[in-house]
Amino acid sequence: MFRRFLRRDERLDEGVRKTRSSFFGRLAALLPRSEITDDLWGELEETLIAADVGVDTTERLLERLRARHAAGEFGTGKELSRGLQEELAGLLRPPDGREPLLPSDLTVVLTVGVNGVGKTTTVAKLGHHWSRSGRRVLLAAGDTFRAAGTEQLAIWADRVGLPCVAAQRGGDPGAIVFDAIAAARARGFDVVVVDTAGRLHTKTNLMEELRKIRRIVDRQGVVGRVILVLDAATGQNAVVQARSFASAIGTDAIVVTKLDGTARGGMVFSVVRELGAPVCFVGTGEKVGDLAEFDSEAFVAALFALEAPDDLPGN
Ligand SMILES: Nc1nc2c(ncn2[C@@H]2O[C@H](COP(=O)(O)OP(=O)(O)OP(=O)(O)O)[C@@H](O)[C@H]2O)c(=O)[nH]1
Ligand SMILES: [Mg+2]
């Protein structure tokens, strides 16, 4: 029942294949045919922690499930499995009344994150996605630090047919953002997606540079949004990164990349719980179309999907 009304997204289903086959698929197979015993609670706890859901998040989930069980809600393992899926989806569901990520006013989206997580690729994917949904998108190459950082985005821009504002290597990323906003106003764009240089969350001077870029955006009187890009394969370390970026410049939404290459997709639950910011998209491959819009129910359903029994361990 829970699953029947969901919009299935093949990219999402395929993107979480490794996470499903390593951990959640095991629960999906085990819970419905088990009695609710102490051993089962123990196994549930171990599997969630092994799946990178995080110790704190797992404890909180189990508390809620045990309370529901004590209240007589779960008579069978199947009902417990349903309850677990509801609780997991509930963790990911953004609170009501949030402002939209992209309002109709000119919006500048800064993509930030540590080195190599997939920012530049994500900028191209987002630009492509939003332009296909009717927005007028301008890309801005704010990674002036890495050799070929700008060229990499320019190549993507060319491939997806979007204009791109860039400067010489070594230029000031704040100045590029300033120029991009002026260009967007003059030429009628309504979304500017800014790539930034990768930076370690522990480097305070580099985090300060992000704050400077943010101030420039805010002073222009445009809507500013920060998207934090996290590599799913970093598991619980992503939580530490998320905390640092959020305290430096805030985070409006999260993109989780490389979900396709890892069994550590459970990190999504602890990152969202830690930041209180929603995941807006997930990256499911290296190509421009490998981006899935995030839907909490569909994500959990994909993790528990048993339509692909081949990818269950032991089968
Ligand atoms: N499998 C997979 N690979 C991805 C995904 N997103 C990005 N990549 C790959 O990750 C690598 C790094 O991507 P970039 O976009 O250059 O990462 P970045 O964060 O801009 O890197 P820096 O600018 O050096 O910090 C590339 O090989 C991408 O193709 C994804 O969702 N899935
Ligand atoms: Mg980059």
Side-chain angles (χ1 to χ4, degrees):
M1 288 293 279
F2 178 65
R3 218 178 276 149
R4 192 176 309 150
F5 303 107
L6 294 172
R7 182 173 48 88
R8 297 306 295 267
D9 183 329
E10 275 171 31
R11 279 167 305 188
L12 199 55
D13 279 359
E14 183 54 26
V16 299
R17 195 172 53 78
K18 288 192 178 164
T19 305
R20 175 176 58 232
S21 63
S22 309
F23 302 109
F24 290 92
R26 192 189 305 162
L27 291 178
L30 171 76
L31 290 177
R33 47 169 207 250
S34 302
E35 303 273 307
I36 304 178
T37 60
D38 281 349
D39 280 356
L40 188 69
W41 287 109
E43 179 128 11
L44 181 54
E45 179 173 17
E46 270 173 37
T47 309
L48 290 173
I49 291 172
D52 263 290
V53 172
V55 175
D56 291 351
T57 309
T58 298
E59 292 310 323
R60 153 130 180 251
L61 275 168
L62 286 181
E63 259 168 44
R64 292 181 59 103
L65 287 171
R66 280 179 183 279
R68 288 176 65 178
H69 179 51
E73 243 192 275
F74 310 134
T76 62
K78 193 169 179 189
E79 285 162 0
L80 174 60
S81 177
R82 175 82 43 85
L84 171 63
Q85 292 175 60
E86 285 163 8
E87 294 292 339
L88 284 167
L91 271 179
L92 299 178
R93 201 171 300 127
D96 291 338
R98 280 186 74 89
E99 286 180 35
L101 184 60
L102 286 193
S104 53
D105 304 331
L106 174 57
T107 304
V108 177
V109 179
L110 299 176
T111 52
V112 303
V114 304
N115 309 74
V117 288
K119 293 175 296 300
T120 306
T121 312
T122 299
V123 165
K125 288 176 175 180
L126 289 172
H128 181 66
H129 174 84
W130 285 328
S131 103
R132 283 176 55 148
S133 51
R135 307 302 296 253
R136 289 184 39 87
V137 179
L138 177 65
L139 305 184
D143 178 1
T144 55
F145 182 73
R146 190 162 62 79
T150 295
E151 288 83 349
Q152 189 193 350
L153 187 66
I155 291 166
W156 269 118
D158 209 38
R159 220 181 275 163
V160 297
L162 290 174
C164 180
V165 174
Q168 297 303 312
R169 179 165 175 232
D172 174 17
I176 290 161
V177 171
F178 185 89
D179 289 351
I181 294 171
R185 284 207 163 109
R187 293 158 59 193
F189 291 99
D190 51 20
V191 181
V192 180
V193 193
V194 182
D195 188 22
T196 65
R199 65 202 70 223
L200 261 182
H201 52 291
T202 47
K203 295 265 189 241
T204 40
N205 56 330
L206 296 180
M207 297 306 263
E208 181 52 37
E209 183 190 73
L210 281 183
R211 266 194 285 266
K212 230 171 84 185
I213 301 174
R214 175 87 209 226
R215 280 198 294 273
I216 288 169
V217 173
D218 291 342
R219 274 206 296 269
Q220 296 305 301
V222 296
V223 179
R225 295 283 189 252
V226 175
I227 289 188
L228 176 63
V229 182
L230 297 170
D231 177 343
T234 55
Q236 288 301 295
N237 190 258
V239 177
V240 181
Q241 295 168 22
R243 239 179 251 146
S244 304
F245 278 93
S247 80
I249 48 159
T251 299
D252 297 293
I254 302 161
V255 171
V256 175
T257 59
K258 311 191 195 183
L259 205 54
D260 52 300
T262 184
R264 314 189 76 178
M267 53 75 80
V268 168
F269 298 101
S270 44
V271 162
V272 168
R273 179 161 171 259
E274 175 72 30
L275 281 193
V279 175
C280 55
F281 291 95
V282 292
T284 58
E286 293 187 280
K287 295 193 293 297
V288 73
D290 295 333
L291 183 76
E293 231 169 320
F294 191 79
D295 174 279
S296 41
E297 266 84 21
F299 180 73
V300 173
L303 289 177
F304 280 79
L306 282 175
E307 287 90 279
D310 289 353
D311 58 29
L312 288 178
N315 281 352

